[in-house]
Amino acid sequence: MTDEPVDPADLQDAPKGPSANADDRKSEQTPENLVHFNPWRDFNDAPSQVDAFGDDPDPQLITAFLDMVFGYCEGLVPIRSFIDKGQGYNGRPHNIWVEANEALPDKMATFAHWASREGAAVYVIPGTVAAAGQAGADHVVQMQTVVVDLDTGDIAAKRAHLEKHLGLPTMVVESGGITLDGQHKCHVWWKLSEPVEASDIARVCRLRGDIAAKVGGDMHFRSAHQPIRVAGSVYYKNSLKTLVRIVEPNAQIEFHLDEFAQAVSEMPPAPGISLQPNFTAYDKPDVGDVLVTPVREGAQDDWSRFEGASAAIGHFIRMVHEGRMSKDEGWEGICGYNAAMLRPQWSVERLARESERLWNRHVERHGPPLIRLDSAAPAPNEMPVFTLGALIDDDSPMPQDIIAPRVLTPGGLLVLGGAPKVGKSDLLISLLVHMAAGEPFLGFAPPRPLRIFYLQAEIQYHYLRERMKQIALPSALLLKARDNLVATPKLKMLLDTEGSLRVAEAIRRAFPTEPVDIICIDPIRNLFDGGPDGGGENDNDAMMFFLNDRVEVLRDHINPDCGVILVHHTKKLSKQQIKDDPFLALSGASALRGFYTTGLILHRPDEDSSQRRLEIELRNGPALDAKLVDKVNGEWVEINPMNERLVRAEVGGKFDAERVRKQDVILGLLLDEAARGRLYTINQFAETFENAAGLGGKDAIRNRIGVQATKGFIKFLRDGSPYGLGASRSRFGFLCVEGMVFPVEGEEVDPDTGEVSPISIPVLPTHYKSAQTGALLEVENPLVWVYPDGERP
């Protein structure tokens, strides 16, 4: 505040004094709450005595001040007085609430005369409240001014800067204080053309803070309930007694809020002020100092009891909100601060009330507490238990599946795994679109259109929208799903405490009225947070931390009944291992498999076939047979399992294995030969390795090379000049495979081992064979090896 640290909470909770709306009512104020107050002596019609040693309150200035600050407002004006410092004695604050009407100036003048005789300053909150006893920031219902307090530095230069960029103010008040270089401290006021309410009050307070930051004013006025001296009252401080004067009245000047806000935003910082002022880090005591420094009532210390208590309570609230202590431990810390540092202590009721208010505000601003040690698991006496008889006798209906049949149940966790490029993201998007439209997909059915939040961290925005536009689904289905499926572009964040808060806020914004049904995280790897020890996906403890303290806690605070879908990569296993137990292929720790309620694994049993197999493992329902799926005309469809190879499946499998073996041999030979300094065209390779390594004749080799070129495993280099071979006369050129290197002259020495090895350069393709037309096309980026959809070596 301007000249005196204040304790706004005392204004809110102090016993009510005699209402200025009833001058003849006997005061209910007790002696301990008021210094020498006598309603007969003070509220009477006798003229005030002239003080020969200083100024008396000026009713005309008071009237002008009140008209400027409250002339358009309705409600009660919170008024406060307390003894200014430096007079050799102290007193408790005195507070009254007066109706903002035509009688306000007379009542304020009477109160100011009483305060003057007691050596007390007079303050108001520059806004009205609805009821007596209210004086908190949340209680202010109307304001009609913007004010900045200039109490340090070159005040004249700051005023000139404000007038240059914001125009002449409505009023300038010299508050009574004087700076070290002899300049008068002042309040600069701008009157609005109409009172503001609700969210505009916060806007006005932001303007007050922004102006103060740009000219080096008092940042406390960013709070709506910050009191300020009344012009026309008397300033007592350090043996100085003077009138709080209006030195520049421009009552006719008013400002429209939008225009004034625009001017404030365009105003540059005053000379000597940082070009990037921090509008939030204003002059507050460090919480470390607050927790160990006693603070007395009546603003006798560097900060008030209210400031100290608020800072301490806020500190413990943040600790509880972030899970660094339980709620009980936080309350113990608050009570301990109250007992040790506040003198006198606040009552337990007031402490609890203020703690609850600040807790609610913190949750409103930062979201629900995502890590609460006292709520991570139920206490032993809260653990639910049921007898066998109770379970058998409970005939209540089962909860409705989110995705039937039992694929995703309320509060369930589904993990979809698959190797890179197997098509799991494409399958997932189609699944989510169908669920958002309320339509079945591959035998999975939602009960209604579902609200889905797709938290994906792989595809950037423009490529995400491209992929969504390429979905080959009926327009009627897309129309049903367009508002129910909300997706994020690629995110650069972890799902840690801060990330979880951001996600929770995004979900609430996406679905403000109805709870979300499914939260989908794609993939785990890009958002994984292994906890304080920083463990990775292969660490069981880190995986359990991520699942319990991140995924489950996020879900529980958004909607405990919503389902969660996690997308995960699989590791390389042999075909036989995948056949025996496909869910062993999930990457990372084994804890994941023991945690989920449903597992889905998408894999390709036959590398020469586009068909995929979707393996299903359920915990909350009967087993489901695996599904054979494929993309037909851009849509995923389920293939009749009768079409699988049944007759001579073993012989067919042997032929399949032989084709894979030949593919591996050809690719391996090309890599080995290039490392020895030899590149081949198709005919040269077929003729060189005819009947070698079990490849068969040259025609069979050419056929296998053609198949691998169509699949993208083999590409071509038309110009061999960089490798000393010159241009190829072949239609396709030299054969090239991923990872191929070619030796050049020179040697390199490993700095760690001293090993000497020849220098090699990568062999990069220039052309590839189109999988659709067989045409030879140019490679767009030789550094990125691209395979046709669903193909990997």
Side-chain angles (χ1 to χ4, degrees):
M1 128 148 239
T2 308
D3 313 297
E4 196 83 55
V6 297
D7 191 350
D10 286 338
L11 181 56
Q12 178 177 341
D13 295 303
K16 314 302 184 294
S19 171
N21 288 315
D23 295 344
D24 57 345
R25 185 186 307 169
K26 184 175 181 181
S27 171
E28 298 174 358
Q29 192 78 26
T30 61
E32 65 181 18
N33 293 323
L34 181 64
V35 177
H36 305 306
F37 182 80
N38 185 311
W40 177 254
R41 185 189 72 184
D42 294 284
F43 286 81
N44 57 59
D45 298 328
S48 301
Q49 298 298 314
V50 176
D51 188 339
F53 300 97
D55 296 314
D56 279 342
D58 188 326
Q60 291 184 342
L61 293 182
I62 291 175
T63 300
F65 174 84
L66 295 178
D67 180 68
M68 192 274 301
V69 181
F70 302 105
Y72 298 147
C73 292
E74 297 178 349
L76 297 177
V77 177
I79 305 171
R80 183 181 198 201
S81 72
F82 58 82
I83 305 299
D84 266 330
K85 288 183 180 179
Q87 302 184 71
Y89 60 93
N90 297 316
R92 292 183 62 84
H94 184 76
N95 313 291
I96 63 172
W97 284 259
V98 180
E99 188 75 26
N101 56 24
E102 63 279 359
L104 174 61
D106 290 339
K107 294 177 180 180
M108 178 67 81
T110 302
F111 186 81
H113 277 91
W114 166 81
S116 175
R117 289 193 294 271
E118 299 295 333
V122 179
Y123 295 82
V124 293
I125 291 176
T128 55
V129 298
Q134 295 181 346
D138 296 337
H139 297 143
V140 177
V141 295
Q142 284 190 341
M143 302 181 81
Q144 68 177 53
T145 58
V146 179
V147 63
V148 63
D149 174 13
L150 305 179
D151 55 4
T152 60
D154 190 345
I155 292 176
K158 294 178 180 180
R159 284 181 55 184
H161 184 81
L162 291 172
E163 291 182 5
K164 177 180 177 181
H165 295 282
L166 303 183
L168 284 175
T170 307
M171 181 172 65
V172 177
V173 175
E174 289 185 352
S175 58
I178 299 177
T179 65
L180 295 177
D181 58 357
Q183 296 194 50
H184 288 278
K185 301 179 181 181
C186 68
H187 308 149
V188 183
W189 295 85
W190 295 268
K191 183 179 180 181
L192 302 177
S193 57
E194 59 182 356
V196 298
E197 300 176 344
S199 61
D200 281 338
I201 292 177
R203 187 181 181 192
V204 165
C205 292
R206 285 195 299 271
L207 290 177
R208 299 193 326 189
D210 291 353
I211 295 171
K214 289 187 176 184
V215 298
D218 187 348
M219 289 297 297
H220 287 89
F221 283 90
R222 192 149 194 177
S223 299
H225 66 314
Q226 181 66 26
I228 193 166
R229 287 185 186 268
V230 174
S233 65
V234 179
Y235 171 95
Y236 294 87
K237 205 170 185 182
N238 301 321
S239 302
L240 173 65
K241 178 181 179 184
T242 186
L243 189 66
V244 181
R245 304 176 186 275
I246 298 176
V247 296
E248 189 175 325
N250 300 298
Q252 74 283 0
I253 299 179
E254 295 182 351
F255 298 83
H256 188 276
L257 178 58
D258 292 336
E259 297 174 354
F260 188 73
Q262 181 65 26
V264 172
S265 68
E266 295 174 355
M267 181 179 69
I273 303 298
S274 171
L275 293 178
Q276 295 181 338
N278 184 350
F279 294 159
T280 58
Y282 51 90
D283 186 21
K284 285 187 175 180
D286 182 80
V287 69
D289 294 333
V290 169
L291 294 177
V292 297
T293 304
V295 56
R296 297 163 291 176
E297 67 177 351
Q300 301 178 57
D301 303 291
D302 290 338
W303 55 82
S304 68
R305 287 193 306 156
F306 180 78
E307 288 175 313
S310 295
I313 293 172
H315 165 73
F316 289 111
I317 281 175
R318 286 190 297 273
M319 297 286 285
V320 173
H321 191 273
E322 296 171 6
R324 290 184 282 174
M325 61 173 52
S326 70
K327 202 167 186 178
D328 289 341
E329 291 170 339
W331 175 243
E332 289 177 4
I334 292 171
C335 292
Y337 171 82
N338 182 46
M341 298 300 161
L342 292 189
R343 300 176 182 173
Q345 300 177 26
W346 278 4
S347 66
V348 175
E349 292 77 12
R350 180 179 179 185
L351 198 67
R353 185 170 64 248
E354 185 65 15
S355 299
E356 190 65 26
R357 183 182 70 83
L358 292 177
W359 172 263
N360 292 336
R361 178 179 293 181
H362 191 80
V363 170
E364 180 181 350
R365 291 179 178 176
H366 301 287
L370 295 179
I371 307 175
R372 289 278 298 283
L373 300 184
D374 60 342
S375 60
N381 60 346
E382 298 174 347
M383 184 176 296
V385 293
F386 304 97
T387 65
L388 173 63
L391 295 173
I392 294 175
D393 295 339
D394 188 354
D395 295 326
S396 60
M398 294 295 293
Q400 191 176 42
D401 294 340
I402 298 176
I403 300 178
R406 302 290 178 88
V407 174
L408 187 59
T409 54
L413 178 69
L414 183 153
V415 173
L416 170 62
K421 303 301 180 181
V422 76
K424 64 179 179 298
S425 292
D426 193 271
L427 177 78
L428 173 68
I429 291 174
S430 293
L431 170 67
L432 296 181
V433 171
H434 280 81
M435 298 302 103
E439 299 293 337
F441 175 72
L442 300 180
F444 304 146
R448 53 173 174 77
L450 302 178
R451 294 172 292 276
I452 302 172
F453 188 85
Y454 182 25
L455 179 66
Q456 74 89 26
E458 275 193 324
I459 308 173
Q460 295 171 325
Y461 169 76
H462 295 292
Y463 307 101
L464 176 65
R465 66 184 176 92
E466 180 182 54
R467 174 171 286 193
M468 292 299 185
K469 291 179 180 179
Q470 292 173 348
I471 298 176
L473 294 175
S475 56
L477 184 140
L478 294 175
L479 183 63
K480 293 179 183 178
R482 61 180 294 124
D483 294 327
N484 286 336
L485 176 57
V486 177
T488 65
K490 182 178 180 179
L491 299 173
K492 295 181 180 180
M493 55 170 275
L494 294 179
L495 199 63
D496 52 12
T497 300
E498 180 182 355
S500 298
L501 289 169
R502 292 174 59 192
V503 173
E505 181 60 29
I507 294 175
R508 282 193 293 270
R509 287 198 309 268
F511 302 104
T513 57
E514 297 290 337
V516 68
D517 295 305
I518 296 176
I519 300 173
C520 180
I521 299 174
D522 179 16
I524 292 176
R525 178 178 302 169
N526 291 7
L527 296 165
F528 187 82
D529 174 32
D533 296 331
E537 298 171 69
N538 294 315
D539 186 327
N540 276 308
D541 291 337
M543 179 61 74
M544 288 303 295
F545 176 88
F546 178 73
L547 296 173
N548 273 316
D549 292 71
R550 296 300 185 232
V551 176
E552 288 290 288
V553 173
L554 173 63
R555 185 255 302 281
D556 288 345
H557 287 85
I558 294 299
N559 176 16
D561 292 328
C562 78
V564 174
I565 298 177
L566 301 181
V567 181
H568 202 29
H569 296 300
T570 55
K571 53 193 174 185
K572 291 184 178 180
L573 294 179
S574 68
K575 299 295 183 184
Q576 186 61 42
Q577 286 176 310
I578 294 179
K579 180 179 178 181
D580 293 341
D581 190 347
F583 294 94
L584 287 177
L586 284 173
S587 296
S590 59
L592 178 62
R593 188 177 184 184
F595 197 89
Y596 62 65
T597 57
T598 299
L600 300 179
I601 296 291
L602 185 68
H603 66 101
R604 190 192 301 272
D606 186 349
E607 295 296 336
D608 292 330
S609 173
S610 63
Q611 295 179 359
R612 286 83 155 177
R613 189 176 178 87
L614 186 64
E615 308 285 350
I616 307 172
E617 182 178 53
L618 298 184
R619 297 270 164 72
N620 288 345
L624 294 179
D625 293 333
K627 296 177 180 289
L628 195 64
V629 298
D630 199 358
K631 289 195 74 173
V632 178
N633 297 325
E635 291 190 53
W636 288 92
V637 297
E638 185 173 0
I639 306 299
N640 190 331
M642 295 300 293
N643 295 333
E644 288 190 275
R645 179 187 288 157
L646 298 178
V647 178
R648 303 188 69 189
E650 184 176 345
V651 175
K654 290 181 178 180
F655 286 134
D656 294 341
E658 177 63 13
R659 285 192 290 270
V660 172
R661 185 194 68 80
K662 288 183 178 181
Q663 168 190 312
D664 292 342
V665 170
I666 291 173
L667 299 182
L669 284 172
L670 288 171
L671 286 170
D672 293 341
E673 290 294 297
R676 297 186 180 99
R678 292 189 286 269
L679 300 180
Y680 296 91
T681 64
I682 295 177
N683 286 333
Q684 288 174 314
F685 184 87
E687 292 174 358
T688 300
F689 294 99
E690 182 180 26
N691 294 322
L695 292 178
K698 60 183 180 180
D699 290 336
I701 295 175
R702 277 195 293 266
N703 289 338
R704 294 311 307 163
I705 290 176
V707 171
Q708 304 313 316
T710 299
K711 292 185 175 183
F713 302 149
I714 294 177
K715 296 186 181 180
F716 303 96
L717 171 70
R718 295 298 303 274
D719 185 7
S721 298
Y723 313 99
L725 300 176
S728 171
R729 297 181 180 180
S730 168
R731 173 195 169 195
F732 288 98
F734 298 104
L735 300 174
C736 181
V737 299
E738 187 177 13
M740 181 181 281
V741 295
F742 193 87
V744 296
E745 292 185 2
E747 296 179 336
E748 58 182 359
V749 179
D750 189 314
D752 296 327
T753 65
E755 181 180 359
V756 179
S757 59
I759 299 176
S760 299
I761 60 174
V763 180
L764 302 177
T766 59
H767 292 75
Y768 70 99
K769 182 179 179 182
S770 171
Q772 285 75 38
T773 66
L776 190 65
L777 304 177
E778 289 189 6
V779 171
E780 293 183 5
N781 185 353
L783 298 176
V784 179
W785 197 279
V786 179
Y787 295 91
D789 185 35
E791 299 291 349
R792 291 293 294 180

